[in-house]
Amino acid sequence: MDEHSVDVETTGRNVDGEVPATEPDAVTDDATVHDDDVQLERTIGLGGGLAIGVGTMIGAGIFVFPGLAADEAGLAATLSFAIGGLIALLVALPTSELATAMPRSGGGYYFISRGMGTAYGAIVGLGLWLGLMFASAFYLVGLGHYASAVLAELGVGLPFDPVIAIGLLFGAALTALSIGGTENTAKLQNAVVGILLVVLTGFLTYGVLDAVGVFGRSSAPEEFFSRGFFPVLETAALVFTSYLGFAQVATVAGEIKKPGRNLPLAMVGSVLVVTVFYVVTIFVATSAFGADRLGEFGETAMVEVARDLLGLPGAVAILGAGLLATFSSANASILSASRAVYALSRDALLPRKASEVNLRYGTPHVALLAAGGPILVLVATGETEVLAEVASFLHLVMYGLMCVALIVLRRRNPDWYDPSFRVPGYPVVPAVGALASFALIVFMGFWSVVIGSVVMLAAYLWYRYYAADVILKGDV
Amino acid sequence: MSDRPSVLVPLRVLEGESVPEGVPDLLANAHVVLLGYHVVPEQTAPGQARMQFEDRARERLDDYETLFEDAGATVERRLVFTHEGQKTIDRTIEEHDCLAVLVPNATAAVDDVLVAVRGAVGIDRLARVVAGVFSETEASVTLYHVADDDETDEDAETLFDGMQNRLADLGMDASRVETRVERETDALDAIVDAADEFDVVVMGETDPSLSTFVFGMPSDQVADRFLGPVLVVQRESPKDTRE
């Protein structure tokens, strides 16, 4: 049996006098083992891992961004998505190595706190939690746009703009659903992702054939860099939110079966799959309309693309798919956010009460509410781009630090660090991954950077106040 | 380890499942693998449930462990937090190489045991469980076989002979073993009907097939309908032949 221990001593107390929970004695393919006879079963297989990654990513990237991205970067938005995918891959590989060495709940937060110390961990962990909230809010606003488009398609006229109202409604419903203990959420997620991929594959195949002139229409002639080079990078920074899903896989690393094999496959695999889908989608979308008109359509541009290609049935299919996709993205992010709260309270960076499990439903109601409540506030702003960028910002900081943590761990090479997957091209890949992650931040909007920085500063101050004595760093 | 057969006793330890009356005595000669498990919904990390419930679950398992040990069994225990109870049970069976799983129901003192014998396959494991658990007791054992239409009485006799020889090899007193053949279309109904007169049922697992997928394992169905404890002898795991 593949078994190795995570030899990390945690010490210290937080303001409430709580100490970090003990670290496990060993990690096997099927369980995390504490004190010899207490085990935490691993139940998520490769399919489930891929579904979390792909399901989170595909919703935002394909259904919300094409219009926004084309508006900023023209046809070259295709390149923006490719750049985003490349950076995601450069980070997914080091993340995979860290995850196979430390397959524990919390993902990036866990790796960084054990590799680089509590302060970094706190910034990243609280940042991850808040970042997931921003991401969920962004997905929910996207969902609101899609649901409004459905209403418009049905001819239902409302006296007010329903986007935010619907986003709030679904946000509240998802939180309630999670607390109420819906069974089989994972199976539902797998099915949703499967349906999505089938619909998209059919749609995109038709779209590509159409774009290259098979059906006798000439595609809109378009200059590739119609907006210049700089917007390509700005757009890459914006759409990077599309690629946050692989990190969500790491937040449930403690529940993945055969982590040494399945974690790298799920993370790298889902990044590759969605990159291909994104690039083809943007290509099809910009070919159908040209960037200018696509930009005018905004968040639901894909519906117009589908209508143009396949008529009303196409529009209906994409509307349905968009609803499902944004729904599954939001759902996965809320669940990941509650995992992040669990990891933080396990390590005494948040009160233990925050991860308390509800006796009636067996669900972590405090953590879910702590995620769901602020999400609603963020949804109410309705600022799609800022929400997406702040989420990207907070994740990019984590990604950059994960790459640094990998380099630190490899250089010190402590006894317990024994990953079963090793990143190819060390040290170039993690170094470039770190630089690219930090560099992408430079291209973000001013307010996104300000909000993201304030969140990080607040996270640091919280740590200094609440858990300054807690030491989580492994023996490096 | 001795020739005590290892028997898994799974309990949903935090949901009020406990060791029923009579079960510790039933397994007095076995090596009991006591599995306390708690199933959490997918929204909850198993570790989260552990932080909150570990102490309570441990206390209960301590009590049950004492019950089995006082009865004379050797005990090994596990406490698992999981999303899928069945996966946990299957894995524990494999890791601890359990010969049988107990479906716990209360029982009085065990006087007679019904052993459903299906075919020659798996007979060795069946015999090891029966001999291991019951050879030191006073209980009488009835080997029970539901024959197919194209099966003669001689065929059934051969089957029983094999089983009886194996039991005798394992030190079981032959005078306590009886045999019974039944001809009925539905083996399952036959076993459940016959079981009424007995205190305990021992039966094998069936190979998974479409009908077990639709209707569930026959052993589960028997366990549902029979009021006493059922010992389900496990198939040999494919892992044993590997390596």
Side-chain angles (χ1 to χ4, degrees):
Chain A
M1 198 185 323
D2 179 27
E3 184 174 317
H4 57 263
S5 68
V6 185
D7 183 20
V8 174
E9 286 269 319
T10 52
T11 53
R13 267 172 203 286
N14 64 18
V15 172
D16 289 337
E18 291 161 346
V19 296
T22 51
E23 291 288 313
D25 295 335
V27 169
T28 72
D29 276 357
D30 294 299
T32 308
V33 183
H34 288 268
D35 309 333
D36 235 14
D37 66 347
V38 179
Q39 304 179 338
L40 309 177
E41 188 84 37
R42 297 175 176 276
T43 50
I44 302 175
L46 178 58
L50 278 169
I52 293 171
V54 175
T56 315
M57 290 194 260
I58 219 133
I62 286 193
F63 292 98
V64 183
F65 277 130
L68 305 178
D71 196 34
E72 279 196 30
L75 184 55
T78 323
L79 188 62
S80 306
F81 270 94
I83 292 171
L86 182 67
I87 295 175
L89 189 64
L90 285 173
V91 178
L93 288 166
T95 309
S96 297
E97 172 171 330
L98 291 168
T100 64
M102 295 174 263
R104 304 287 320 280
S105 276
Y109 155 72
Y110 190 87
F111 314 146
I112 291 168
S113 61
R114 268 55 177 182
M116 298 172 67
T118 317
Y120 288 104
I123 292 171
V124 166
L126 293 162
L128 171 68
W129 171 33
L130 294 158
L132 284 165
M133 282 184 208
F134 277 90
S136 310
F138 160 68
Y139 302 140
L140 285 166
V141 175
L143 181 73
H145 280 288
Y146 268 84
S148 312
V150 171
L151 291 177
E153 201 72 31
L154 294 172
V156 179
L158 288 173
F160 59 97
D161 182 12
V163 171
I164 290 173
I166 293 173
L168 289 172
L169 189 71
F170 274 95
L174 275 179
T175 311
L177 216 63
S178 313
I179 293 175
T182 41
E183 290 290 320
N184 300 325
T185 43
K187 286 198 189 87
L188 194 71
Q189 185 86 350
N190 295 3
V192 166
V193 172
I195 294 170
L196 271 179
L197 291 183
V198 170
V199 171
L200 278 173
T201 307
F203 169 71
L204 293 178
T205 310
Y206 185 88
V208 168
L209 293 177
D210 185 71
V212 297
V214 172
F215 303 117
R217 289 192 338 178
S218 60
S219 57
E222 183 99 19
E223 194 193 338
F224 195 72
F225 290 107
S226 61
R227 308 281 198 278
F229 298 100
F230 196 67
V232 174
L233 294 172
E234 279 181 338
T235 308
L238 168 67
V239 302
F240 197 72
T241 317
S242 319
Y243 291 99
L244 304 186
F246 74 87
Q248 257 83 312
V249 181
T251 58
V252 296
E255 290 154 60
I256 303 264
K257 285 188 262 192
K258 293 193 184 148
R261 165 179 171 272
N262 289 340
L263 275 170
L265 282 177
M267 289 200 264
V268 174
S270 55
V271 168
L272 291 177
V273 168
V274 298
T275 305
V276 170
F277 270 95
Y278 287 165
V279 171
V280 176
T281 304
I282 303 297
F283 174 72
V284 167
T286 44
S287 300
F289 279 127
D292 291 331
R293 277 197 67 201
L294 198 62
E296 288 166 20
F297 293 133
E299 278 88 352
T300 52
M302 285 305 288
V303 182
E304 302 309 322
V305 174
R307 195 197 307 279
D308 184 61
L309 287 173
L310 296 163
L312 186 63
V316 170
I318 288 298
L319 271 177
L323 275 180
L324 282 180
T326 44
F327 187 84
S328 85
S329 294
N331 185 42
S333 302
I334 290 174
L335 293 184
S336 297
S338 102
R339 292 287 197 284
V341 173
Y342 154 58
L344 287 166
S345 78
R346 175 188 65 200
D347 291 341
L349 294 182
L350 284 176
R352 192 56 51 88
K353 185 132 180 54
S355 73
E356 197 173 76
V357 176
N358 184 309
L359 276 180
R360 173 130 171 243
Y361 301 113
T363 49
H365 57 295
V366 181
L368 286 166
L369 282 175
I375 286 171
L376 294 185
V377 175
L378 294 174
V379 169
T381 66
E383 292 289 335
T384 325
E385 296 195 19
V386 174
L387 289 173
E389 282 201 347
V390 174
S392 288
F393 176 93
L394 293 168
H395 278 84
L396 281 167
V397 170
M398 176 173 89
Y399 293 169
L401 286 175
M402 277 201 292
C403 293
V404 174
L406 178 111
I407 295 172
V408 168
L409 283 166
R410 281 275 196 111
R411 288 179 68 94
R412 306 268 176 84
N413 197 22
D415 286 341
W416 57 267
Y417 187 72
D418 182 24
S420 54
F421 169 85
R422 284 183 170 259
V423 62
Y426 175 87
V428 178
V429 167
V432 175
L435 288 177
S437 301
F438 293 135
L440 213 47
I441 292 172
V442 177
F443 296 99
M444 288 187 163
F446 175 73
W447 283 110
S448 313
V449 176
V450 170
I451 297 172
S453 304
V454 168
V455 166
M456 280 173 52
L457 181 66
Y460 179 74
L461 292 176
W462 168 261
Y463 151 71
R464 292 295 302 173
Y465 157 71
Y466 189 73
D469 292 342
V470 173
I471 295 169
L472 302 170
K473 191 169 166 178
D475 178 23
V476 294
Chain B
M1 214 161 41
S2 71
D3 55 354
R4 285 171 176 268
S6 48
V7 177
L8 181 74
V9 181
L11 296 171
R12 287 190 160 217
V13 69
L14 289 167
E15 281 159 49
E17 267 191 10
S18 60
V19 178
E21 193 127 354
V23 165
D25 289 325
L26 170 70
L27 295 180
N29 299 311
H31 176 67
V32 172
V33 179
L34 182 59
L35 169 67
Y37 67 106
H38 182 60
V39 181
V40 295
E42 283 151 356
Q43 295 88 317
T44 314
Q48 225 160 341
R50 171 184 165 254
M51 280 200 317
Q52 200 164 335
F53 300 128
E54 181 179 348
D55 291 341
R56 200 187 312 174
R58 264 180 194 282
E59 273 171 34
R60 300 223 175 132
L61 281 184
D62 283 343
D63 293 345
Y64 301 146
E65 186 175 8
T66 315
L67 278 181
F68 281 109
E69 276 174 350
D70 288 351
T74 55
V75 182
E76 220 179 325
R77 58 183 251 187
R78 283 282 175 274
L79 175 59
V80 184
F81 294 90
T82 180
H83 290 304
E84 287 172 38
Q86 194 56 49
K87 196 216 159 205
T88 300
I89 290 175
D90 291 344
R91 178 172 64 85
T92 314
I93 290 168
E94 199 172 289
E95 280 178 11
H96 295 268
D97 199 14
C98 295
L99 270 177
V101 175
L102 180 80
V103 182
N105 280 320
T107 176
V110 176
D111 292 325
D112 41 21
V113 182
L114 182 75
V115 180
V117 186
R118 219 158 41 91
V121 180
I123 229 163
D124 179 62
R125 293 169 73 84
L126 194 59
R128 275 162 66 198
V129 171
V130 173
V133 175
F134 300 106
S135 62
E136 304 282 311
T137 69
E138 304 292 314
S140 67
V141 172
T142 302
L143 304 181
Y144 182 83
H145 178 66
V146 183
D148 285 335
D149 291 338
D150 53 356
E151 221 178 325
T152 63
D153 284 350
E154 285 73 39
D155 292 339
E157 212 53 52
T158 318
L159 188 64
F160 286 144
D161 282 348
M163 179 78 183
Q164 275 172 316
N165 287 338
R166 193 73 191 93
L167 284 176
D169 289 348
L170 292 165
M172 184 103 189
D173 184 356
S175 64
R176 281 165 46 206
V177 182
E178 292 166 33
T179 63
R180 211 164 118 186
V181 183
E182 195 94 40
R183 291 192 178 274
E184 200 176 321
T185 41
D186 192 321
L188 204 63
D189 285 338
I191 293 174
V192 173
D193 287 345
D196 262 354
E197 309 153 26
F198 294 84
D199 298 317
V200 179
V201 171
V202 184
M203 65 185 296
E205 253 191 327
T206 325
D207 290 322
S209 70
L210 184 64
S211 76
T212 60
F213 180 74
V214 176
F215 299 111
M217 281 287 185
S219 47
D220 292 338
Q221 297 181 47
V222 171
D224 280 347
R225 289 158 66 185
F226 174 59
L227 296 175
V230 179
L231 274 165
V232 183
V233 178
Q234 301 297 300
R235 281 190 308 275
E236 198 150 358
S237 95
K239 276 215 170 144
D240 290 351
T241 48
R242 224 177 53 183
E243 290 173 327

